[in-house]
Amino acid sequence: MAFPESVPLALPCQRHLFEMPADICYLDAAAWSPLPRGVREAGEAGILVKSRPWDHPRAVVPAWAERARAAAARLIGAGADDIAIVGAVSHAMAVAAHNLTLRPGGRLLRVADEFPSLRFAFDRLAERQGLVVEEIPRPSDGDWTEAVAAAITRPGAAPLALATLTPLHWTDGSLIDLDRLAPLVHAAGAALVIDATQAVGAVPVSVARWRPDFLAFPTYKWTLGPYGLAFLYAAPHRQDGAAIEENVGNRPPAVGARRYDRGELYDPVALSMAVAGLELIAEWRVPAIAACLRGLTDRLAVGVAAFGLTPMPAALRAPHILGLRPPAGMPTDLVGRLHQDKVFVSERSGALRISPHVWANDDDLTRCIAALRAACQGVI
């Protein structure tokens, strides 16, 4: 995952922008981020448009949609015309699968234990078009990038038709380096679809580097926005396809990826919140956010290693998520016991997933490490 050559300015802790009590240690951004005060206030202002439409005409809302579209585009290095506004990443993936025609007998390649929104629509695509689904097993050394590269280029394998990939594994933050893998997919003549749910807003994402056919991300995780809103990037050669729902806004003369916009697009609450979150991320600058989060997860990694929880090497994990897989398996109700100590993390497929964002401070790290030490005592 490439970073600009210039070293980003240090980003200080932004906890003051959130309604987070001092005794709450919330390290679960990969599940659902809290809202900054400014995002909540934007949503409250949006409610007034619907609550008092005689005072706040809905004619102002289309401008919010275009502002959200442009802000989403800037975070991934795209143009506004390349972005559709959809209801969820699953909606985006259904659009992508609906608009891909692939060679029968080719391989559909993905990693094992992939998130459902990146499986279900493409399982149906594979059945419909006669593709062979190949799931790459979790590598014993944690190096997904090498495992995926070997699968793409494996001698004697059926031709690669489609790779559905993510920049990191959602369960534990294991790095899947698309800077290396995307060129291999393109060299094989295959299509590339990217679920960037666990990347956009936390680490640099570039459609110019990866050249995906489609890429999608939601607003409710790392971009600090509302639930029920997502963005779909469609490459220029994929913008003349068919929407999975027809509405007055996505029919001609709709331009570019707007062809895939959802119905009931002009939600004054969700759009205003999304704009506030996306523009806040842009103001902080994603490389600075990534550097900040790398510092937090690296310090957590050192702290938990002291009592036997050995994380993957930094080179094999994304900056913003620390995944821990206890050698004897996950202690019973570990997440529940941590919640009792007001330390909030997640368990995903046998991994303890710790995902701080810009609100996390030194006290959070200390409390998390202490709570884990106590909870794991005698069982690892």
Side-chain angles (χ1 to χ4, degrees), residues 43-277:
E44 290 169 346
I47 288 173
L48 291 176
V49 177
K50 187 68 167 66
S51 180
R52 300 177 61 87
W54 51 89
D55 287 335
H56 305 275
R58 63 182 180 272
V60 304
V61 181
W64 283 99
E66 292 311 306
R67 189 168 165 186
R69 197 188 308 272
R74 285 193 294 270
L75 280 186
I76 62 172
D81 288 349
D82 302 326
I83 301 295
I85 300 176
V86 295
V89 168
S90 58
H91 180 176
M93 292 302 153
V95 171
H98 187 64
N99 286 283
L100 290 172
T101 301
L102 305 168
R103 49 194 169 197
R107 289 183 295 155
L108 189 168
L109 193 68
R110 67 185 178 216
V111 301
D113 199 16
E114 188 54 273
F115 198 76
S117 63
L118 197 55
R119 296 201 320 265
F120 293 162
F122 296 104
D123 284 345
R124 284 195 293 274
L125 171 67
E127 183 177 356
R128 189 169 65 247
Q129 298 191 12
L131 305 179
V132 177
V133 177
E134 179 180 339
E135 288 196 352
I136 302 164
R138 181 177 293 277
S140 58
D141 62 359
D143 192 342
W144 279 112
T145 304
E146 187 60 39
V148 175
I152 293 171
T153 59
R154 187 173 69 252
L160 185 65
L162 170 65
T164 57
L165 297 174
T166 62
L168 60 145
H169 204 287
W170 70 282
T171 61
D172 60 5
S174 306
L175 185 64
I176 302 172
D177 188 354
L178 297 186
D179 285 345
R180 178 180 173 196
L181 297 174
L184 297 179
V185 173
H186 296 310
L192 174 61
V193 176
I194 298 173
D195 179 350
T197 295
Q198 295 292 3
V200 175
V203 293
V205 170
S206 170
V207 296
R209 289 202 315 272
W210 299 341
R211 295 189 294 120
D213 292 78
F214 296 97
L215 177 149
F217 66 97
T219 61
Y220 73 99
K221 295 180 185 285
W222 298 97
T223 63
L224 308 177
Y227 205 63
L229 186 68
F231 298 99
L232 169 65
Y233 165 83
H237 68 286
R238 295 296 186 184
Q239 292 174 7
D240 59 352
I244 61 171
E245 55 165 320
E246 299 285 346
N247 60 74
V248 69
N250 68 13
R251 297 175 66 82
V255 176
R258 291 173 182 82
R259 181 69 187 90
Y260 306 124
D261 277 354
R262 73 179 191 184
E264 298 188 8
L265 175 63
Y266 296 136
D267 178 346
V269 180
L271 288 172
S272 57
M273 294 173 74
V275 167

Side-chain angles (χ1 to χ4, degrees), residues 15 17-21 24 26-37 39-40 219-226 273 277 280 284 355-360:
R15 195 183 189 94
L17 298 182
F18 295 81
E19 301 175 66
M20 192 171 296
I24 294 296
Y26 190 83
L27 305 177
D28 207 10
W32 192 330
S33 75
L35 295 174
R37 287 188 179 90
V39 176
R40 175 180 59 78
T219 61
Y220 73 99
K221 295 180 185 285
W222 298 97
T223 63
L224 308 177
M273 294 173 74
L280 189 58
W284 289 332
S355 51
H357 209 329
V358 296
W359 57 75

Side-chain angles (χ1 to χ4, degrees), residues 13 157 208 298 328 363:
C13 177
D298 281 354
D363 287 345

